[in-house]
Amino acid sequence: MNILKKNLFTLLLLSLWVSSSQAAMRELPAPNTVSPEMQKLTEAAPLPFWNLHPKDHAEWKSFVQSVAEATATELPGLREQMEVTVTPGSIAGVPVFTVTPRKIRPENSERILLHLHGGGYVLNPGETGTYEAILMAGMGGFKVLSVDYRMAPDFPYPAAMDDAVAVYRELLKTVPAEKIGVFGTSTGGGMTLALGLRAKAEGLPLPAALAPGTPWTDLTQTGDSYFVNEGVDNILVSYDGWLGEAAKVYANGHDMKDPMLSPIYGDVSGFPPTLLTTGTRDLFLSNTIRMHLKLRQAGIDADLIVFEGMSHAHYLMDPNAPETRFHFTELKKFFNQHLQ
């Protein structure tokens, strides 16, 4: 009888967990105001690992490896389609990848874009972090330097930012700040903004322009869209999945409202022109619009692109989607306007 009760209790808990996981996704009609390519992304099932809660170092490493293996299979075809080459190297002791388009526009010959990849400070190690850099180099015609920064759980805060700043500091020795732009998506967007804060704090010249895409500007669960878009965004889905776990494992006990972790709480006065991107279904919609307003209130030349119907970072997920082409064309125009 005790065994029966135990089994029934286990089944009840399992059913509640399944029900809560399913309930997290809210069924909405696919918007007919987006391209067919984007509509397919909007209609897709949520990422299967969104509600993962790694319990130890081994589970984190297994999670990271499985995502990396899936991404790695897409890179050869993407490099060929974008007509770029990717060369590994090292700057200031930090691994980097130089992404070079087959054709560099004459005005970009002395310019360079510094790329900080996304992945919650845990995902996309090594060359798997170059996906966005390949798109930018191919569609924008810029040479892109992608930083393979250290990540949690092996290297928690401030390792990622230390690596990004070390590469930027070294880059300044050969390239004037006026010819450097910085960009990245999600975590990479948050790091792009934090790099501006670190540069100010350390007396370094700021880059000529910043382009944070759907940036993780607040590692705490603060902001309307963390709740309004919960179960609507089919990429991140909810802060209460792996995302919140990643915030904790990277912060490693530090105050998550430290501006170097959550740049929304930093002093952005004196920042360079900034272009931010998000979508109406993005869990990080509030992260992005709060940052945009903060920059505008500080008198910074800041623009905002909000894509219809788009979940978190959908503009990276189909290189053939018109929205993807539009995003990187806008970034190209933005950097062409502000880099000398």
Side-chain angles (χ1 to χ4, degrees):
M1 184 68 177
N2 287 338
I3 294 176
L4 177 61
K5 285 183 178 179
K6 184 177 180 181
N7 287 344
L8 286 172
F9 182 68
T10 300
L11 287 170
L12 177 61
L13 287 179
L14 181 60
S15 68
L16 287 173
W17 179 84
V18 171
S19 297
S20 64
S21 297
Q22 291 174 340
M25 286 309 300
R26 291 150 57 191
E27 292 187 10
L28 299 175
N32 59 9
T33 48
V34 301
S35 71
E37 294 87 350
M38 193 55 57
Q39 199 165 44
K40 288 180 181 178
L41 291 174
T42 303
E43 293 173 329
L47 290 178
F49 55 76
W50 77 264
N51 203 25
L52 193 68
H53 296 267
K55 296 179 180 61
D56 53 31
H57 185 274
E59 289 190 7
W60 274 113
K61 299 300 282 187
S62 176
F63 171 40
V64 171
Q65 182 178 355
S66 64
V67 176
E69 288 174 352
T71 303
T73 62
E74 300 179 19
L75 294 179
L78 186 67
R79 289 193 296 264
E80 182 177 359
Q81 181 181 354
M82 293 293 110
E83 298 184 319
V84 304
T85 57
V86 177
T87 307
S90 176
I91 295 179
V94 178
V96 297
F97 292 91
T98 302
V99 186
T100 308
R102 183 175 299 176
K103 296 179 181 179
I104 297 180
R105 298 171 64 90
E107 63 270 24
N108 292 336
S109 61
E110 296 181 357
R111 297 168 171 172
I112 193 163
L113 300 184
L114 186 65
H115 171 246
L116 304 170
H117 68 79
Y121 294 102
V122 293
L123 297 177
N124 302 320
E127 199 167 352
T128 61
T130 63
Y131 194 100
E132 181 181 23
I134 292 170
L135 291 172
M136 185 70 235
M139 297 187 195
F142 288 90
K143 179 181 288 187
V144 178
L145 187 67
S146 186
V147 183
D148 182 20
Y149 54 83
R150 291 170 295 166
M151 294 188 291
D154 293 326
F155 302 101
Y157 174 78
M161 283 309 306
D162 285 349
D163 286 355
V165 173
V167 171
Y168 179 64
R169 184 187 293 274
E170 189 68 20
L171 190 60
L172 286 171
K173 294 179 180 179
T174 55
V175 183
E178 295 80 9
K179 296 184 181 296
I180 301 174
V182 184
F183 76 105
T185 284
S186 193
T187 295
M191 290 180 67
T192 294
L193 293 158
L195 179 68
L197 295 176
R198 278 281 295 265
K200 281 182 58 178
E202 298 183 17
L204 299 174
L206 270 67
L210 306 176
T214 178
W216 201 6
T217 60
D218 194 334
L219 267 62
T220 71
Q221 195 177 11
T222 303
D224 191 48
S225 66
Y226 272 122
F227 306 95
V228 173
N229 280 349
E230 184 177 39
V232 175
D233 184 327
N234 63 1
I235 300 300
L236 295 177
V237 183
S238 172
Y239 183 88
D240 295 328
W242 77 269
L243 182 68
E245 302 289 356
K248 287 185 288 186
V249 76
Y250 177 65
N252 195 32
H254 287 82
D255 181 1
M256 287 191 196
K257 290 191 175 182
D258 183 325
M260 298 304 171
L261 283 165
S262 298
I264 189 66
Y265 301 106
D267 175 11
V268 296
S269 60
F271 259 41
T274 304
L275 175 62
L276 303 102
T277 307
T278 184
T280 59
R281 297 190 179 193
D282 189 357
L283 196 72
F284 285 1
L285 174 63
S286 290
N287 277 332
T288 311
I289 61 175
R290 288 171 64 210
M291 195 74 222
H292 176 245
L293 287 173
K294 185 181 183 74
L295 289 161
R296 297 286 297 182
Q297 289 165 351
I300 306 306
D301 178 6
D303 286 327
L304 174 66
I305 297 172
V306 182
F307 280 104
E308 169 80 342
M310 191 178 286
S311 290
H312 184 68
H314 266 170
Y315 58 79
L316 295 182
M317 297 175 190
D318 185 348
N320 300 310
E323 290 86 349
T324 301
R325 297 278 175 179
F326 178 84
H327 171 73
F328 287 101
T329 298
E330 288 296 299
L331 261 60
K332 176 179 70 173
K333 292 191 292 187
F334 172 72
F335 284 127
N336 277 333
Q337 179 182 357
H338 295 291
L339 270 59
Q340 291 187 7

